[in-house]
Every structure is written in C-alpha cells, then in structure tokens.
Amino acid sequence: MTRTRPHALLAVLVLALLAWLGTCVLRSPRTVASVYVSQQDGNDSRSCQQATSASAPLRSINKGASCLEPGGTLVIAAGTYDELLISQTSSSRTCSSGDAATQIPCAPFPNGLSASQPTRLVASGPDVILSPVSRQWPGGGSAINVMDYARFIHIEGIRVVRNTASGSVGGIYVGNAQHITLQGNTLDDGQIKGGSSSKFLQVLGNTILNTGQTQCPANEKPTPSRCPHGMYICGTDHAITDNVIQNTSYYGIQVSCESGGIARIRIERNRVENNPGNGIRCAGEQCVVVANLLRGNGQAITLTGSGVVAGNTIDGYYQASWNPDPWGIYTTWGDGSGFQITNNIFTRMKNTTLQIGNAAMTPVDTRLVHHNIGETAGHPGVTLIASASSIYTNASAGDFTLKAGSPAIRAGVAYPHGTTDITGTPYPTPADLGAYSSQSPPPTTDTTPPTVRLTNPPNNEQVFGTALPLVATASDNIGVVQVQFQMDGAAVGEAVTSPPYQVLWNTTTVSNGNHTLSAVATDGAGLSATATSTLRVDNPPPPEPPPEQAVLACSGKVDTSGAFQMTCTKP
C-alpha cells in the first residue's frame, strides 16, 4: 500500500488553493478610477490623474471622456454644457477630422468591460444640462451619439435640451450598439432612437417631453420625416420601462422598422400621454405591453406580430380633424390571433365601439381577447361595461387608481408576463384590470407644478390678422387639467382642457405694438405654471372713410323774363 507523505499532500492542496484564488481574481471586477467634471470650478488644463479627485475636476465632458478608462465612471456636476458627446466608433478612440472640427475638444467615451462593469456617464445631481448650440455631428444623429461599435454603456441623470438656436440638436441616438442603458434622463424636444441591429437596450425611467414641437408644422397631420416620435427603436431584446413620454409631435413609443427583425420587446409601466399618433406601436414577435397608462393619444396601442397586451389603462383620445376615429387597441393584421389581449380598461374614447379592432374589421378570437372593460361593449372581448366615474378614483384630476367598489377590482385573469402594476405594486389574484392594482398605495400629495411652453408664434414675432393660432404644449407628473391663453393678462377664449392646446386670436382687438402672450397650465392639484412671450402686433391702418358728401337744399323758379333760376343752400 502506497502512502502519500503529509508535506506532499499539503503542497497539492496549496497549489489547488492558489489556482482557485487566481480564478476568483480573474473573475472579480477590475477597479477603475472615476473622473470628475464640473463647469463651475473645473479646469481642462488639469491632468487626468488630478481629475480622479472630486476636488480637482475637469471643465468639459469631452475632456473628461479622454481621461476615462473602459469600465470607469464620468461624474458630471451641475451646469449647462454646450457640447456634443459621442462613443468610440472603433478601437482607436479618436474623433474623425470632421467630428474634431465640430466639437472642441472632442474625445469619444470608451466601451465598458461587461454588463456588470459598464462605462458610466452619470450626473451627480438634478441640474446637469447638455444643450449644444447651433451645431450637430457631420454624420447626423443627436446630442449624444452611441455608435454601432459601442458596448456596455450606461448614461444616467442627464437633461438633454434641444437649443432653440438654428442648427441645434437634442436627444440620444443609439445606433446598432449593444448592452446600452439609458436611465433617469430627461429629453426636452429630443428623441431616443435605436438602430435595426441594436440589442439589449435598457430604457428605464426617462422623461421625454415635447419631441419635435419646434420642427413639426402646427395644425397639420404629422409625417415621420418632419415630426419625430418620442422613442423610435428597432432591434431585439429591449426593455422600455417606467418612462414618461408626453406631448411629442407624433408617436410616443415606436418599436417598428421597415427592415423587420424586431423581437422580444418589453414595454412596461410607462406613462404615454398627449401624442397625436400612436401612444405605443410594437411591430415584432413576442411584444409584451403591460401595465402602461395611455391618455389622450391618437391610437392608444397598435400591434403587428405576436405577444401579450395586458393590464393597460387607456383613457381619452387626441383631438384632431385628421384623426376621426381613434382606436384603443388596433391590430394591423387579419384576425389578431398573434396577441393575447386581456385585463385592459378603455374609457372616455371618442368612438366607444372602437376599443379593440383590426384591419380586416373581423371579430378577434375571444379565446385570446377577453376580460377587458369599457364604457360600451364594442367588441366581444370587452366583457364588462362601466363608466370612468365608477372605475377610477378621480380621472378628471389624473388619478386612475381604482376606487373602492370599482368593477375592475379582481375582475381579471392571471397572466405570466406582468406581475406588478405601474407603481411596482403586485397585482392580486385574481388580477385587477388596468395599470393600477387595488393594492397600490394612495397617491402622494402632488407638489410638482406642470410645465408649459409656448410654441407658436415664436417670441418677438411680428403678427397680424384676425385668426392667429396660439399654440402651447403642457405636461405634468400626474395630468394637466387645462391651459388658459391670455393676452396682456386678459383671457383669450375658453380654457383648453385637452391637447392640442391652441386657440385662434384676432389681433385687431388690440393696438399695434408690443403685447404679452401667456399660457397658464393647471394640474389636478391646482398647481399652475406660466409661459410668456412678447408679440409685436402690426396690423395695417383701417381704410380712410370716404369724404363727406354735402347735402344741399335747392329751390327754383322762373323769373319775369322767362329764365329758370335755381338757388341751393346748405342746411
């Protein structure tokens, strides 16, 4: 019998332990220093080593990107940054000559190392504003371009504002990149766009307002070439969750591409409001559209392909002459057999019979479409009938939680693709209908006023005529109740209670010269916000009245010589 010596056995154990420790080290995340940027006290002449300290930041985001290592974090302090940002387009991490001439300094931010260690661009507070003025990348795109080569990028907390100066851009472009996370950003007049081969996008908790309002002609039917969507995303394996999309010039969320290939898309817990086109469009396989609140859109949800549409609250419609019959859920194929449509609520629609339908106008299989509630039957899949006032706590004030005794409580069926409502509260079993669970906590006291912006006429515009369109956009964290236009403090027409917010104004009712136009937006809590602009009224003077015609009193007689004499006097 062979015996192993104790010291030999110990050596084997030590070697095995070292090998295991080596594996752990290789698998551990690499430590990468953060880089700091501050417009207030930053200085781009500092070294990259100095900029790893929060007390010695750089001044520009691009300079910070030049110091950033793969998998590192760029921490951006409060300020308004007049810069364009771009990811690396190749392994060289250099800007093209055209890009370098447009953005000075110009430095692409690097790819991350893995899904658990992405490169991060993170705002350190709420007041980080990116607003490039009068320029855009030579190849097009947005204020932030995440290019095809990009992998493992995380962008968080930045407010991207499209500047009003000509030639400016906003928004975030994600080409055919992969593993990109956009979280907690605010886009004012900007779009999130993803390419046809993009994969694994996480679009989480962003706010998108007024997309295309400075580009899309007022009072006309929108067209995609001039009126961008809030999101326009293609590709596969994306999550679009917990976002707010309001007052775009066309669609709220568009997941559709002419090239096709869209699959495994999750659109969940979003607030999509006041968009003249589709609130949500998903054209692909395995689209999951659950627990969204859709208010005041052209078509609420349009579908092509397959998937699940469940637990959505659909209320109201967008008023426009070119959208005579807005649908609740519309499928663009024959019998609609690709989708399970259940546990949804339809209220206050223009045509209550158009709650669920399809291009062929044939009945949809009720084995797939069932347990929905609406104000009229309209479709065999709408199995419960109730009014908005009996379902919601206070719909007119934007509170779509379920009131006590609501017919939507426990009226649904369990479905595997969405277990929490729009607030993150679990649905009970049986499930409630709509985006809000009956177990949701009551809404907190609203302390956030709405936002409002005048879009027509432009500030300092010369105006004239008897039918000038006054146009505004407004948004609120819960809901806008009305917008009142005013001229020099006096109301112009009645308050507008739903989008589009516009009235016609007769400029001849005021004198020529400068006047102050205001739009006052009010939410359900009575909070208000006001936008103002100056207009210069310049109507032509009224025509001169015709000269006064003299009226004479005349009399005549024949004298003794036989001549006729007439005498006229002015009375």
Side-chain angles (χ1 to χ4, degrees), residues 100-356:
T102 302
Q103 169 59 50
I104 303 173
C106 182
F109 49 88
N111 287 349
L113 299 175
S114 65
S116 61
Q117 195 167 11
T119 293
R120 305 176 75 226
L121 277 64
V122 179
S124 63
D127 299 316
V128 175
I129 299 172
L130 183 72
S131 185
V133 179
S134 296
R135 67 187 189 281
Q136 53 189 287
W137 295 113
S142 303
I144 302 176
N145 273 7
V146 182
M147 307 304 286
D148 295 356
Y149 188 80
R151 301 291 187 272
F152 306 116
I153 305 292
H154 181 110
I155 299 173
E156 181 175 349
I158 299 174
R159 183 181 172 196
V160 185
V161 178
R162 182 188 179 100
N163 195 278
T164 57
S166 176
S168 302
V169 293
I172 302 175
Y173 171 78
V174 179
N176 295 318
Q178 298 182 21
H179 298 282
I180 309 300
T181 298
L182 307 176
Q183 183 170 2
N185 303 287
T186 298
L187 278 64
D188 194 339
D189 195 3
Q191 178 186 71
I192 293 177
K193 186 170 185 179
S196 59
S197 298
S198 59
K199 293 183 178 181
F200 306 110
L201 304 186
Q202 301 284 315
V203 186
L204 313 174
N206 302 280
T207 299
I208 302 176
L209 306 173
N210 307 317
T211 303
Q213 293 292 351
T214 58
Q215 308 158 62
C216 190
N219 303 315
E220 293 183 16
K221 183 176 180 179
T223 59
S225 60
R226 294 190 295 177
C227 305
H229 313 308
M231 295 186 197
Y232 189 3
I233 294 176
C234 304
T236 65
D237 302 286
H238 305 324
I240 302 170
T241 304
D242 297 319
N243 303 283
V244 174
I245 304 99
Q246 296 176 331
N247 300 325
T248 75
S249 60
Y250 209 2
Y251 293 7
I253 299 173
Q254 159 89 321
V255 184
S256 175
C257 270
E258 292 182 1
S259 58
I262 293 173
R264 297 176 298 281
I265 307 296
R266 190 174 187 90
I267 304 173
E268 182 177 21
R269 300 197 304 266
N270 302 284
R271 292 178 62 102
V272 187
E273 302 171 292
N274 305 337
N275 305 290
N278 294 315
I280 296 173
R281 172 166 169 73
C282 194
E285 302 305 319
Q286 301 178 52
C287 290
V288 177
V289 183
V290 295
N292 300 284
L293 172 63
L294 298 107
R295 300 178 61 202
N297 301 289
Q299 314 284 356
I301 301 174
T302 300
L303 306 167
T304 303
S306 65
V308 173
V309 180
N312 299 286
T313 294
I314 296 169
D315 181 73
Y317 61 94
Y318 191 93
Q319 300 183 63
S321 60
W322 40 262
N323 186 31
D325 289 315
W327 287 82
I329 296 177
Y330 181 79
T331 62
T332 58
W333 71 102
D335 64 0
S337 60
F339 280 87
Q340 178 184 353
I341 301 174
T342 186
N343 293 17
N344 302 287
I345 299 177
F346 306 88
T347 50
R348 301 192 299 184
M349 300 181 65
K350 182 176 182 180
N351 187 336
T352 54
T353 62
L354 302 182
Q355 294 169 133
I356 304 173

Side-chain angles (χ1 to χ4, degrees), residues 399 441-447 477-478 525:
D399 183 355
T444 57
T445 301
D446 183 12
T447 59
N477 63 316
I478 295 178

Side-chain angles (χ1 to χ4, degrees), residues 549-555 567-571:
Q549 302 294 320
V551 179
L552 302 177
C554 299
S555 63
T567 303
C568 293
T569 60
K570 198 174 189 180

Side-chain angles (χ1 to χ4, degrees), residues 83-122:
E83 300 184 53
L84 295 164
L85 306 182
I86 194 168
S87 70
Q88 67 181 96
T89 58
S90 67
S91 59
S92 65
R93 278 193 67 186
T94 58
C95 289
S96 69
S97 58
D99 289 349
T102 302
Q103 169 59 50
I104 303 173
C106 182
F109 49 88
N111 287 349
L113 299 175
S114 65
S116 61
Q117 195 167 11
T119 293
R120 305 176 75 226
L121 277 64
V122 179

